[in-house]
């Protein structure tokens, strides 16, 4: 080989070119994905045949559906043996499915309004692009929602809110004297305000009062929503604290967290709910009226936060040590480095896991039907299917429950995937 | 010592003093009887084979590693287990890591302003001005709004240097700052460090860049098996090493 054969000098860098036309477009997609070869073509045709069978079988059931009768017998009469769903059970029992059978019907606007406001309250948390001032409403929302759903005087949630604000102010005042002192005086202040406020709201129980609705009258999908929202939003902060506690250098804190997590994870949720329902009453002073929904919320929150703590621990472990060291080397203290550096990254890694737990938790709220609370599943299983009018309407009712839960859970899942894309920080 | 420009004059003031310091990893004795005094304005290069304890030594200075015996006094403050003390020393001592350790979820500018805002309590606007000043100094102000993942290794390391400088440290520690970089990028980082040295910054630098040591250092320390084996002015150190271990090391590192 002569020397001139291998010598090469590039005088000009090559410009970028568009890919050839055959490497893109819908026709290419169809050919690549549906009909790339004889076996795959057969599979595609088979799949199309199955889809046709399912759709053609189910379509008449939907299209012939009866929406206006008031019992199963009437519905069968209308159908006269033809295939068709008795969807009239949904229209006739609509309010029971959503609100349970004891919530006063003239007050349905209250939970409905609370439900609509929930979206306003959650929006600024979910979408960073929205103005930050909306977060004030998010902070107020729990108190407004409580007042709307449970009714009674506005003073009760107001006192609760004021108590928390006073406690926070006191905490800030004493913060220089050390975290423990500040936290303790803060808690004392909160309890004091609540105790004093209790007299005020008891004395003026008619001020700005809505008709009170007791917890045992809550039911239907509303109950699932209440339990789901409250428990998810409480279990996330508790889960974070547990995860950080488990990493703590202080043995007492570490072991409390480890024992809590391992114990709660080792116990079925249903047993915890039975404990909430029955056993807890033995430990409370006689005559004390500890709200059943509150007990259930505590149990589900404990359960979910143990799982979330483990998910977040995975995120924390996935961060390179260098991130901790860089934060330390800049002089950030523990709280700052956790809040500004470690948690934002660890939580981002943990999003799929957190969503997984949240979706599971939301569906697990149907377990309360076992301790004779009438959530959506409890309503279908109990009052509706037991009624003589609708005994035997399974497909329509359970299908409806499936659709409701699917819509919410799929929504959560889609949001989380969108959020992950938003938080993507490299150039890919 | 050769004639130095005014900025490179070394003062009599002690910046770091380490006395009889020992450290163990479990039963493994990583640092043995380290005695070292660093004067303000000194530029020290620490060299040695891997596992010789050189990184551990400088990580002890800002308490990323704790030592079990002996005294470390940084900037007049005795390093103890008191968290307040440690945080104060850390905010006075800048550190640059081998793997940059930028915060990937923050922009370049946010990386630089975070500590000044939260630790020094400087107003955001002012912190941004300081950050831009130092980003200009390391010659990448135009990248301020990008994320670390979008920058090359050399650029990331220069940002890391700027991030440390934003805290206005009195001492800078470099832990193999060029070891994770492509050869093309090493120079841009070394140039930044040379510029820093010329301003009179007190620097401790663990590195294998012997050219840098010759050009910038006023003292080279050679470590092996957790001990300081030899230290000298660069000229003497490279041309006339005394111990056999140093000679062997230099022949291997400069041999090709």
């Amino acid at each position: 080989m002569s020397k001139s054969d291998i010598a090469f000098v590039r005088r000009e860098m090559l410009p970028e070119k568009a890919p050839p036309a055959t490497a893109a477009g819908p026709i290419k997609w169809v050919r690549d994905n549906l009909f790339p070869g004889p076996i795959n073509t057969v599979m595609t045709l088979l799949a199309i045949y199955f889809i046709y069978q399912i759709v053609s079988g189910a379509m008449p059931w939907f299209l012939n559906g009866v929406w206006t009768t008031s019992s199963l017998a009437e519905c069968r009469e209308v159908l006269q043996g033809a295939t068709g769903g008795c969807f009239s059970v949904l229209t006739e029992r609509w309010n029971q499915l959503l609100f349970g059978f004891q919530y006063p019907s003239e007050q349905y606007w209250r939970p409905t309004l609370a439900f609509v406001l929930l979206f306003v309250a959650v929006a600024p948390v979910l979408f960073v692009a929205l103005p930050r001032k909306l977060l004030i409403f998010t902070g107020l929302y729990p108190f407004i929602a409580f007042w709307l759903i449970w009714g009674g005087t506005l003073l009760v949630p107001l006192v609760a809110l004021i108590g928390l604000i006073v406690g926070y102010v006191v905490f800030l005042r004493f913060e220089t004297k050390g975290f423990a002192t500040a936290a303790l005086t803060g808690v004392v202040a909160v309890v004091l305000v609540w105790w004093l406020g209790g007299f005020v709201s008891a004395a003026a129980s008619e001020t700005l009062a809505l008709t009170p609705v007791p917890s045992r009258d809550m039911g239907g999908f509303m109950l699932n929503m209440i339990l789901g929202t409250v428990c998810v939003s409480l279990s996330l902060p508790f889960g974070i604290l547990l995860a950080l506690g488990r990493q703590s250098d202080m043995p007492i804190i570490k072991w409390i967290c480890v024992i809590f997590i391992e114990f709660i994870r080792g116990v079925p949720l249903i047993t915890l709910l039975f404990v909430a329902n029955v056993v807890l009453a033995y430990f409370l002073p006689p005559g004390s009226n500890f709200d059943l929904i509150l007990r259930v919320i505590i149990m589900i929150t404990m359960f979910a936060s143990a799982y979330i703590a483990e998910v977040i621990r995975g995120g924390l472990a996935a961060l390179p040590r260098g991130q901790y060291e860089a934060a330390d080397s800049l002089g950030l203290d523990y709280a700052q480095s956790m809040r500004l550096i470690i948690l934002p990254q660890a939580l981002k890694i943990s999003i799929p896991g957190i969503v997984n737990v949240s979706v599971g938790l939301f569906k697990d709220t149907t377990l309360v039907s076992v301790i004779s609370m009438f959530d959506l599943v409890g309503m279908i299983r109990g009052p509706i299917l037991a009624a003589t009018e609708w005994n035997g309407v399974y497909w329509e009712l359970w299908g409806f429950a499936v659709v409701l839960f699917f819509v919410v859970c799929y929504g959560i899942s889609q949001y989380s995937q969108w959020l992950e894309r938003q938080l993507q920080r490299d150039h890919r | 010592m050769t004639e130095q420009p005014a900025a490179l004059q070394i003062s009599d003031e002690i910046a770091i003093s380490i006395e009889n310091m020992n450290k163990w990893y479990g039963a493994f004795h990583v640092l043995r009887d380290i005695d070292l005094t660093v004067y303000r304005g000194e530029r020290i290069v620490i060299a040695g084979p891997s596992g010789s304890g050189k990184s551990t030594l400088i990580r002890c200075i800002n308490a990323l590693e704790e030592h079990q015996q002996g005294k470390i006094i940084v900037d007049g403050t005795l390093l103890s287990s008191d968290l307040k003390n440690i945080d104060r020393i850390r905010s006075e001592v800048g550190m640059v890591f081998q793997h940059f350790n930028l915060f990937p979820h923050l922009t370049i500018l946010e990386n630089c302003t975070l500590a000044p805002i939260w630790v020094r309590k400087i107003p955001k606007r002012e912190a941004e001005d300081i950050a831009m000043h130092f980003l200009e100094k390391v010659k990448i102000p135009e990248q301020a709004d990008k994320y670390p993942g979008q920058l090359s290794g050399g650029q990331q390391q220069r940002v890391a240097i700027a991030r440390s400088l934003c805290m206005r440290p009195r001492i800078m520690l470099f832990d193999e700052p060029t070891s994770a970089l492509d050869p093309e990028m090493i120079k841009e980082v070394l140039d930044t460090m040379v510029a820093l040295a010329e301003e009179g910054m007190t620097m401790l630098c663990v590195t294998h860049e012997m050219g840098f040591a010759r050009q910038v250092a006023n003292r080279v320390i050679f470590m092996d098996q957790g001990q300081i084996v030899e230290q000298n002015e660069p000229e003497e150190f490279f041309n006339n090493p005394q111990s056999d271990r140093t000679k062997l090391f230099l022949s291997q590192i400069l041999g090709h």
Side-chain angles (χ1 to χ4, degrees):
Chain A
M1 194 188 278
S2 76
K3 207 177 176 190
S4 60
D5 282 345
I6 51 167
F8 170 77
V9 179
R10 185 177 293 290
R11 302 287 177 199
E12 227 175 287
M13 299 313 258
L14 296 174
E16 246 179 70
K17 285 185 221 158
T22 49
I27 294 170
K28 176 183 156 40
W29 185 90
V30 168
R31 203 188 298 157
D32 278 4
N33 291 290
L34 299 182
F35 306 104
I39 295 173
N40 283 300
T41 307
V42 172
M43 298 290 265
T44 304
L45 292 176
L46 267 178
I48 291 176
Y49 175 72
F50 274 112
I51 293 172
Y52 167 76
Q53 282 294 314
I54 291 170
V55 171
S56 66
M59 278 310 271
W61 191 70
F62 282 107
L63 293 178
N64 288 341
V66 178
W67 292 88
T68 47
T69 56
S70 59
S71 77
L72 184 59
E74 272 179 51
C75 170
R76 293 218 167 113
E77 229 164 81
V78 173
L79 282 172
Q80 298 203 322
T83 323
C86 285
F87 300 113
S88 41
V89 67
L90 303 180
T91 49
E92 206 236 0
R93 297 295 174 112
W94 179 252
N95 286 328
Q96 286 195 356
L97 287 167
L98 292 192
F99 303 105
F101 63 114
Q102 280 171 317
Y103 205 93
S105 55
E106 68 281 2
Q107 307 290 342
Y108 283 157
W109 64 272
R110 280 160 40 185
T112 314
L113 180 61
F115 180 68
V116 172
L117 289 180
L118 174 66
F119 289 95
V120 184
V122 163
V125 180
L126 298 189
F127 303 102
V128 185
L130 292 173
R132 296 291 82 196
K133 285 208 172 121
L134 279 176
L135 282 173
I136 297 173
F137 180 75
T138 310
L140 295 177
Y141 177 76
F143 305 98
I144 300 173
F146 174 83
W147 182 56
L148 282 173
I149 294 173
W150 273 269
T153 169
L154 183 60
L155 290 179
V156 172
L158 205 61
V159 165
L161 177 63
I162 293 172
L164 289 180
I165 294 175
V166 168
Y168 183 63
V169 171
V170 170
F171 171 79
L172 288 185
R173 270 289 159 79
F174 285 83
E175 209 184 3
T176 47
K177 297 212 167 68
F179 180 82
T181 327
L184 205 66
T185 41
V187 169
V188 170
V190 172
V191 173
L192 198 68
V193 172
W194 283 353
W195 183 63
L196 292 175
F199 291 115
V200 178
S201 53
S205 60
E206 293 308 309
T207 338
L208 289 169
L210 294 170
T211 319
V213 181
S215 284
R216 62 173 179 279
D217 289 356
M218 307 288 160
F221 194 61
M222 176 182 75
L223 184 58
N224 297 112
M225 283 300 291
I226 294 174
L227 293 175
T229 336
V230 174
C231 296
V232 168
S233 37
L234 287 180
S235 58
L236 191 57
F238 280 119
I240 292 173
L241 289 181
L242 282 170
L244 292 179
R246 193 170 184 163
Q247 287 208 322
S248 170
D249 293 333
M250 283 177 265
I252 294 180
I253 293 181
K254 180 177 175 167
W255 285 111
I256 289 176
C257 292
V258 168
I259 290 170
F260 179 88
I261 292 171
E262 295 300 338
F263 175 74
I264 295 287
R265 279 202 316 165
V267 177
L269 176 57
I270 195 80
T271 55
L272 289 180
L273 291 177
F274 277 121
V275 168
N277 189 26
V278 189
V279 187
L280 219 55
Y282 292 119
F283 294 105
L284 295 169
S288 69
N289 182 17
F290 199 56
D291 193 282
L292 179 60
I293 288 191
L294 188 57
R295 279 183 272 168
V296 168
I297 284 177
I298 291 173
M299 284 303 177
I300 300 182
T301 303
M302 275 173 28
F303 190 76
S305 47
Y307 277 87
I308 286 188
E310 286 299 277
V311 169
I312 293 175
R313 188 166 71 102
L316 290 171
L319 281 193
R321 272 218 61 74
Q323 291 292 310
Y324 293 87
E325 289 177 355
D328 284 348
S329 76
L330 286 168
L332 297 171
D333 63 30
Y334 177 79
Q336 286 169 340
S337 63
M338 286 302 137
R339 189 157 65 88
L340 302 167
I341 309 297
I342 304 303
L343 280 178
Q345 297 184 60
L347 288 179
K348 186 194 142 194
I349 300 173
S350 320
I351 289 174
I354 292 174
V355 168
N356 201 13
V357 174
S358 307
V359 166
L361 179 157
F362 181 61
K363 291 182 298 180
D364 281 352
T365 58
T366 53
L367 284 177
V368 297
S369 62
V370 178
I371 54 167
S372 55
M373 287 171 88
F374 292 100
D375 74 315
L376 181 62
V377 169
M379 281 306 294
I380 295 176
R381 233 166 47 114
I384 299 180
L385 277 179
T388 44
E389 298 95 323
W390 296 113
N391 195 347
V393 197
Y394 294 105
W395 281 91
E396 294 81 351
L397 284 169
W398 294 119
F400 176 68
V402 165
V403 168
L404 264 191
F405 277 99
F406 177 78
V407 166
V408 176
C409 295
Y410 187 68
I412 297 174
S413 150
Q414 285 299 302
Y415 166 76
S416 84
Q417 286 174 34
W418 175 85
L419 182 66
E420 274 179 73
R421 284 196 299 276
Q422 288 293 304
L423 294 176
Q424 196 96 33
R425 282 299 185 241
D426 39 25
H427 49 277
R428 277 186 294 277
Chain B
M1 189 188 275
T2 48
E3 202 55 42
Q4 303 267 12
L8 289 188
Q9 288 301 334
I10 295 157
S11 76
D12 295 338
E13 192 190 339
I14 294 175
I16 302 168
S17 121
I18 300 175
E19 286 171 38
N20 201 22
M21 191 256 281
N22 280 278
K23 175 173 176 57
W24 289 263
Y25 282 131
F28 178 55
H29 200 173
V30 257
L31 292 177
R32 307 178 194 177
D33 289 346
I34 303 286
D35 280 299
L36 178 66
T37 306
V38 181
Y39 294 94
R40 192 160 304 293
E42 268 205 295
R43 301 157 310 280
I44 296 178
V45 162
I46 304 173
S50 61
S52 60
K54 49 197 193 313
S55 287
T56 312
L57 170 61
I58 68 166
R59 286 159 61 86
C60 280
I61 293 172
N62 68 350
L64 285 183
E65 306 275 356
E66 65 183 328
H67 58 286
Q68 282 88 31
Q69 244 177 40
K71 270 204 290 195
I72 301 181
I73 299 172
V74 182
D75 229 16
T77 311
L78 177 69
L79 204 56
S80 59
S81 57
D82 180 11
L83 286 178
K84 285 245 164 62
N85 250 351
I86 290 179
D87 280 342
R88 202 176 78 225
I89 287 174
R90 281 173 177 166
S91 66
E92 300 296 332
V93 178
M95 176 124 186
V96 175
F97 300 88
Q98 180 178 359
H99 295 289
F100 333 133
N101 295 349
L102 294 177
F103 305 130
H105 63 301
L106 301 176
T107 63
I108 299 308
L109 189 63
E110 287 165 344
N111 263 280
C112 293
T113 56
L114 183 109
I117 290 174
W118 290 93
V119 179
R120 292 259 191 266
K121 315 285 181 202
I122 293 174
K124 184 161 181 262
R125 195 43 78 65
E126 203 178 313
E128 284 176 354
D129 289 345
I130 296 172
M132 286 314 291
H133 168 76
F134 283 110
L135 285 175
E136 265 159 42
K137 203 159 203 173
V138 300
K139 304 201 177 66
I140 32 178
E142 71 282 357
Q143 313 281 12
D145 294 324
K146 290 195 182 165
Y147 288 93
Q150 298 167 300
L151 268 55
S152 74
Q155 290 174 323
Q156 289 194 42
Q157 193 59 296
R158 282 185 284 153
V159 171
I161 294 173
R163 178 177 70 178
S164 296
L165 292 178
C166 284
M167 287 294 282
R168 306 266 190 198
R170 310 189 64 188
I171 299 163
M172 285 288 284
L173 307 174
F174 293 85
D175 187 2
E176 305 204 26
T178 56
S179 301
L181 295 176
D182 291 342
E184 270 191 297
M185 295 167 182
I186 291 178
K187 187 176 177 304
E188 61 187 55
V189 171
L190 288 182
D191 285 348
T192 311
M193 290 165 64
V194 170
L196 197 57
E198 280 167 0
E199 285 170 20
M201 175 69 77
T202 311
M203 293 166 68
L204 267 82
C205 185
V206 172
T207 184
H208 298 297
E209 297 297 328
M210 290 303 131
F212 174 78
R214 270 182 203 273
Q215 186 188 351
V216 173
N218 65 298
R219 180 158 34 139
V220 180
I221 293 176
F222 177 70
M223 287 184 70
D224 189 29
Q225 295 176 21
Q227 306 154 63
I228 295 179
V229 174
E230 187 165 347
Q231 54 173 319
N232 215 329
E233 288 168 20
E235 208 54 27
E236 276 291 295
F237 179 84
F238 288 112
N239 297 339
N240 192 14
Q242 298 299 312
S243 90
D244 293 340
R245 187 67 190 89
T246 316
K247 284 176 193 164
L248 178 66
F249 178 76
L250 285 177
S251 74
Q252 276 167 347
I253 201 167
L254 301 173
H256 52 83

